[in-house]
Structure formats: structure tokens, C-alpha cells
Amino acid sequence: MEDVIVDTPGPLLTNAAADSTRTVGRREWAGLAVLALACLVYSMDLTVLHLAVPQISAELRPTSSQLLWIIDVYGFLVAGLLLTMGTIGDRIGRRRLLMAGAAAFAAVSIIAAFAPSAPVLIGCRAVLGIAGATLAPSTLSLIFTMFPDPGPRSVAVGVWVGSYSVGGSIGPLAGGLMLEHFWWGSVFLLAVPVMVLLLILAPRVLPEFRDPNAGKIDLPSALMCTSAVLLVVFGMKKVAQDGPVPIAIGALVAGVVVGTTFVRRQLGAADPMLDLRLFRLSSFRIALTINMVAIFAAFGYFLFVGQYFQLVLGMSPLRAGIATIPSGLGFMIGSQLAPRLSRSVRPAYLIGVGMAMAAAGLLLLTRVTEQGGVGITIAASLLVSFGLAPVFGITTELIVGTAPPEQAGAASGLAETGAEFGGALGISMLGSLSIALYRGQLANTLPYGLRDADVHSARDTLGAAMEVANALPGKLGESVAEAAKHAFLTGMHLTSAIAAVAALLLAVSALVRLRHIEAS
């Protein structure tokens, strides 16, 4: 295996020497805390903007298309650039890439907070997505550099998974608190002090890691990789939003064509950007698949709970954010418990039990009603989050841990990209199914006497239906609201059941395909 440079405060070491002489101490745990903060902010930025949409609409007056891009462009570019950024980090240095991304993230967050128009805000969100794509693969690959021993590394990966979960969970809550007292742009400023702290501490507590024998960055391959992921993710989300319209199908076909060309280029390259021989490793391939499908199953929960709390039960955004706290706690506890259990329990059993627990939570969601269900929904969210947390940590460790050290950045980028694909697939398939059920039911259950414009709006989304209901008088408005809520719950129940079946199949697959891997 080629030597890999690990830049510590002392002399440069090869990977073999580093593994034998470096021990995990205060510096490594302090570095993990810094990386966890970066992950928390990265994840929080995916959800913190949602509650600010009404204020952004009032202040900047974006078109409907511009508003969609304000919300989605961050996630699109993160998904498209994860694999490329992981490979770049392996070549130029993972700490260097992380710090460059953190600096850009802080600077652009300040600009976004004071954006004077919708196009400027879209541009800022796009740059934030580019900067965010440097954080995920850099943090994970640095963890595998800092913690070569499987025991501490499992704990570190658990913290890494927990930080993402906490960030996604507290995003709506933090956004709600900021919007209670400040303007819409204040939600972007939450990231600034954390990124500044990372820039100060990173040179002191994080090692540098790069492959000194890596070739030049293959720009055509990077462009093809990014374009393929962007086109496929965009196509999937477009299908979920508008159905199989020509632009969505065209994007999917173009993404597959560009992706195929990328794969052929990598197979024929002397120094490929992504070494596809990784897929010959059975554990790597299976773990990546399980991780991706687990994210798909998770969207059976994530797609509906926020809408259920606010639009069906009538909770305020802040109360709905508070109701998601148990889910975040479930992820935190589950991700920290997994490393301890993995010392004596095989990964196959932990994944199998975790996915079965998530399936039970998803099935519990099929029991909620229009009259109430906060307790049932919170219990379901606890089961889902507590069950999935160990799965994400264990599969991530298998994905990156089975790759050679000099390709840890590319492998971690691939893990993150697989997760993005799983999420996009969940949104596309489960979202499209729920929308079809919702619209199909309302075609027969909306009361007579509505204007055509009101019928069209009510069948578009549950939020639009509630706006129509609130504008109509008395019994007519109540009938529209009742029909829309019932149709929404029908879609929620069926898609949750489908996600539960997928989780159960995944549990069986893990028990069969990973049973040969010993406990760490």
C-alpha cells in the first residue's frame, strides 16, 4: 500500500508508523468535538430555513420557482459535490479543505443574512451548498485518521452520527427561536460563530492527511460526477413534486448517461478519481446499500410528521419543533449506545434489531388520527430514531473502514452521496405515492360548490387546502379541511407501511449478508 502523509504537530509519518505510534488522547477528542460542531451546523442548515419561508416571501417577494430554489439549491449542490470534494480532500489535504469550506460557509452566511433580493439569496444558498459539501467527507475521513483503533473509532463515529441527527432536529427549533425575536436572515447567522471557532481550533487539534502519490485532480471526471448526481437528484425531486413530467424524465435519463460515461472513464483511467474496485469488497457494497435504503425508509417518517403536527393538529412551528426533540434525543442515545454494544454484538444483529425497531415505529404511524396523536407520533419517532441511529453509524464505519486509508475521503463522500440518493429516492417514490393518493381521494371527497381555483389549490398540497378552508365560510370550510386531512392521513398511513416493509426486508438482508463480520 502507498504511504500516506499524516501531518501532526510532530514529524510526518507514514500510515504504518502512524498507526503504531499514535495514541488517542485529549487532542483527538478535542478535534472530534470541533468536527461534531461543524457537522451539526451543516445538518442544521438543511432544515433551519423552513420556518423562515413566510417572512422571506413577504420581504423578498420571490416567485414560486425562486422560492423552491431558495429551499432546494443547498441540498442539490451538497449532493452533487460530496464525492468530488471527498476526492479533492484526499489530494490537497482534508484539514485544508475543511478549513476552506468553513471560511466560505461563515462569510457567505453573513451575506445571505442581509440578502436584498431573491436571486442574491439563491446565489448565497448555492455557495453554501458548495462549502457544505466540503464538510461532510472531510469530517468523516479525518475521524478515521484520528482514531485508527476500532474501539475509540466506533465511539467517534457515533458522535459524528449523533451530531448530524441533533443538527437536523434542532434546526426548526433554533429557527423558530431566532424568528421569534429577529428578522428572517438571523437564521443564517447561527453558523458564523461555530465556523469561526472551527477555523481557530482546527490547526491546533486536527491532523492533516493527504495522499502524496495522488495524481492531478481530473476536472472532466469531477464535472461528470457532479453533473450526474445533480441531474438524478433533481429528476427524483421533480417527480415527487410534479409527477413524471418531461423535464424530470429528461433529467433522470441525462443523469444516467453522464453517470455511465463517468464510470467508463474511471475504469479506463490510470489514476481514477474514484477507484471502483471498492465495490468488489462485499462488506463495502452491502453496507453502502443498507445505508442508502435505511435513509429511504426514514423518509416514511420525515416526509409527514412536520406537516401532521402543524397542518392536521394545528400546532405552531415552535411547538412542532419542540415535539421533534424526542426524535433528536433518540438519535443521540442510539448513536452513543451502538459503539458499546458493537464490542460484543455482531453488526448484523445490531442492524437487524435496529431496522426492526424502526419498522415498528413506522407501523405505529399508521395508527395516528385527525383528532389526536401527539403521543403516538412522538413514540413512533423515538422508535424510528433510536433504531436507525446504530444502523447509520455501523454502516458508515463499514463503508469507510473497508476502504484503503488513502481513499477514506472518497469512500466517505460516497457514503454521503449514497445517503443523499436514498433520501431523494424516498422523496420521489414515497412522496409521489402520497401525492397521488391525496389528489385521488380529494377528487371524490371535496364538497360541492367550490370554485375551480379552490379545487385546484386544495388538491395541490395540504397546506394550500388549509388556506382554502380558512378562507371559506362555516361548514364549507370545515368540510374542505376535514376532507384534506383525511386524504393526507391516508397517504401517510400507506407510505409509512411501505417504508416499514422496506425496513423489515433490510433487517433480514443484514442478518443474512453481514453475519460473517465479527464484533469489534
Side-chain angles (χ1 to χ4, degrees), residues 100-113 124 127-128 189 191-192 195-196 199:
F105 206 100
V108 179
S109 292
I110 295 173
I111 299 173
C124 289
V127 178
L128 285 173
L189 299 180
V192 176
M195 293 305 173
V196 171
L199 290 171

Side-chain angles (χ1 to χ4, degrees), residues 74 84-85 88 112 153 175 212 227 230 248 272 299-300 312 326 359 387 411 419 437 473:
Y74 177 83
T84 300
M85 289 300 182
I88 291 174
R153 186 175 65 207
S227 299
L230 284 175
F299 271 84
V312 176
L437 288 170

